Amino acid sequence: QKEVEQNSGPLSVPEGAIASLNCTYSDRGSQSFFWYRQYSGKSPELIMFIYSNGDKEDGRFTAQLNKASQYVSLLIRDSQPSDSATYLCAVKMDTGRRALTFGSGTRLQVQP
Amino acid sequence: NAGVTQTPKFRILKIGQSMTLQCTQDMNHNYMYWYRQDPGMGLKLIYYSVGAGITDKGEVPNGYNVSRSTTEDFPLRLELAAPSQTSVYFCASTRRGMLSGGAGSYEQYFGPGTRLTVT
């Protein structure tokens, strides 16, 4: 089982729709969760982070965390073609390593 | 601030050659990281450093070496390059590092990447 798992996609949504990106993780002791956006040929950039169960909203983005189910998601409301990118889920696992573990990413395509 | 800078942007190596990928940050961050990203894949941690003089292995350290003599610089050395090391390499830094259970932001700033081909 992969430590951080994401559907590779592509996830295709029409402009203006809600895009829902999902991530599961294997370490039940994980505490910190991050979503990065990566445009083709570019470096990742942080969109959101979440530490507590529930929802966290920032503009058009909402991160949702359910530690009991070991599940974190990212919702993008009113999706725009400029949101088309690969979205990487990253988790700080409860190990001695002071680094994040990344999923392989979900490619999102927003159709105009 | 320039943020995190990496050189070179592109490089082609022959099998068995060696090279150093440079990474510099001007944000006085104490934690620095090296990742590799293969096509269609996520980021794999190679090495990281929590401060000058301190380094530790990540998930895929074989074939690489690092050093951290200053806060600003974290070079990655490839010895005896192999085709399996063809990848895009990203350097990143954070101010506080990835502490478990912490509050606040642990945003990782990434450099623009180095695209390396070994043939």
Side-chain angles (χ1 to χ4, degrees), chain B residues 25 27-33 50 92-99 104-109:
Chain B
Q25 53 90 10
M27 298 172 283
N28 201 33
H29 285 175
N30 48 354
Y31 285 47
M32 295 186 74
Y33 304 85
V50 301
S93 71
T94 68
R95 180 160 34 87
R96 290 202 235 178
M98 302 301 153
L99 302 177
S105 173
Y106 297 96
E107 180 171 358
Q108 254 183 340
Y109 294 84

Side-chain angles (χ1 to χ4, degrees), chain A residues 57-73:
Chain A
E57 188 173 316
D58 184 1
R60 296 187 296 112
F61 298 97
T62 299
Q64 300 176 315
L65 175 61
N66 184 327
K67 290 186 179 180
S69 300
Q70 295 174 237
Y71 177 95
V72 59
S73 65

Side-chain angles (χ1 to χ4, degrees), chain A residues 31-32 34 49-51 92, chain B residues 96 98-106:
Chain A
Q31 296 290 328
S32 311
F34 303 80
F49 58 88
I50 186 167
Y51 300 118
K92 172 59 182 75
Chain B
R96 290 202 235 178
M98 302 301 153
L99 302 177
S100 61
S105 173
Y106 297 96

Side-chain angles (χ1 to χ4, degrees), chain B residues 67-81:
Chain B
S67 60
R68 184 96 181 271
S69 56
T70 67
T71 300
E72 294 78 21
D73 301 307
F74 190 40
L76 177 72
R77 178 83 177 161
L78 277 73
E79 305 281 1
L80 298 175

